[in-house]
Amino acid sequence: SLVWIISGIDGGFGTFMDVALEEEKFQILNFSFDLTQPVFWVAIVGGFANQLLTYTSDQSVVQRYLTVKDSSDAKKGLWLNGFLAIPIAFLFFGIGTALFVFFKQHPDLLSIGMNNTDSIYPHYMMIELPKGLAGLLISAVFAAAMSTLSSNINSSTVVMSEDFYAKLKPSCTDEDKLRFAKISGVVVGGLGIVMAIALATFDIASLWDQFNFFLGLLTSGLGGLFMMGIFTKRIGTRAAFAGFFGSIAVLLCCSAFTAVTSTLYGFIGLISCFIIGYLSSFI
């Protein structure tokens, strides 16, 4: 896809580099202290917090640790994932930059009805890619979505059946838990469909920013609970709950009353959850 886009630019790779440099698309080291933009410090702190949340408290990731024979293999998997994430990030953002240069040269190919930036890549697929390649890419998008959704739905049903249903009903059999897990899977999947339809109707300029908002709002509290369990024995159940719900309140206030970039939401939620939980433990 990246090669095809660059080949469609008048002047090829040379023009791609010239325009991208001229428009400062490769300027990633912005050291200004601006909390409203994803500058270097914000990206480092916010990115670290977001990765910490995902790799410590996201059940769909944690379940992968349990598929290897020991912690050494889990560490190797994490290192490999970290190294592979770098070229993948360059590839994804490279495609975005190439699309910018392409449509800067061909603004007449943009759709007037396009109301958000997330529509540009699918639009390019439909109008520029050869039929076979476009179909391959669309099927790849669906495959990636299904593999992600299936692991998340599965991990959610495991938590609901093992950590809630089995605890509330100790006399349940394996068949009972399996039945509950199947029902939970349908419910979680249904809620996912409703959420997707709702998001499709919202006026969202960028799904990436919206993703960071939800990541901070819904998972930073879980990351905070994890940090409490790792670093202190003082915080009890009620104080932990206070930290969890307090962090949600803090993030909602940040969203409503400040212009802080969503990249920092995970960090803000994580820190506020831990601090509120720790202070609440004295009460």
Side-chain angles (χ1 to χ4, degrees), residues 53 213-225 228 239-257 265-277:
L53 294 174
F213 171 71
F214 283 127
L215 183 72
L217 187 65
L218 301 176
T219 66
S220 60
L222 292 177
L225 292 176
M228 293 177 195
F241 269 116
F244 181 82
F245 290 110
S247 67
I248 294 177
V250 169
L251 284 173
L252 289 174
C253 288
C254 283
S255 175
F257 304 114
Y265 281 10
F267 176 75
I268 295 170
L270 182 69
I271 296 300
S272 61
C273 179
F274 188 89
I275 291 175
I276 294 171

Side-chain angles (χ1 to χ4, degrees), residues 37-186:
Q37 299 294 328
V39 296
F40 178 80
W41 311 109
V42 169
I44 290 294
V45 173
F48 174 76
N50 289 341
Q51 295 302 313
L52 191 67
L53 294 174
T54 301
Y55 288 100
T56 58
S57 54
D58 188 335
Q59 176 67 15
S60 65
V61 175
V62 173
Q63 71 176 3
R64 287 168 168 80
Y65 302 151
L66 306 178
T67 63
V68 295
K69 66 179 184 292
D70 53 31
S71 60
S72 176
D73 276 6
K75 290 175 184 176
K76 290 176 184 175
L78 275 170
W79 278 109
L80 181 62
N81 178 80
F83 284 122
L84 289 177
I86 297 171
I88 289 172
F90 274 104
L91 177 64
F92 285 171
F93 290 115
I95 289 174
T97 304
L99 286 170
F100 171 82
V101 176
F102 177 83
F103 283 112
K104 187 176 175 67
Q105 284 188 347
H106 307 284
D108 53 302
L109 295 178
L110 283 170
S111 171
I112 298 175
M114 197 180 300
N115 57 3
N116 61 61
T117 55
D118 296 308
S119 304
I120 292 177
Y121 190 28
H123 177 71
Y124 176 85
M125 286 185 195
M126 291 187 292
I127 65 169
E128 286 294 318
L129 289 181
K131 293 292 189 291
L133 187 58
L136 187 65
L137 264 177
I138 292 168
S139 64
V141 170
F142 276 103
M146 285 191 290
S147 66
T148 303
L149 287 169
S150 62
S151 60
N152 279 281
I153 292 172
N154 182 57
S155 60
S156 298
T157 58
V158 169
V159 170
M160 292 167 70
S161 58
E162 291 292 338
D163 294 343
F164 290 94
Y165 181 72
K167 297 291 190 298
L168 295 171
K169 190 179 178 183
S171 61
C172 66
T173 63
D174 286 345
E175 287 77 12
D176 293 332
K177 286 194 285 186
L178 178 60
R179 190 182 306 110
F180 180 82
K182 288 180 177 179
I183 296 171
S184 300
V186 173

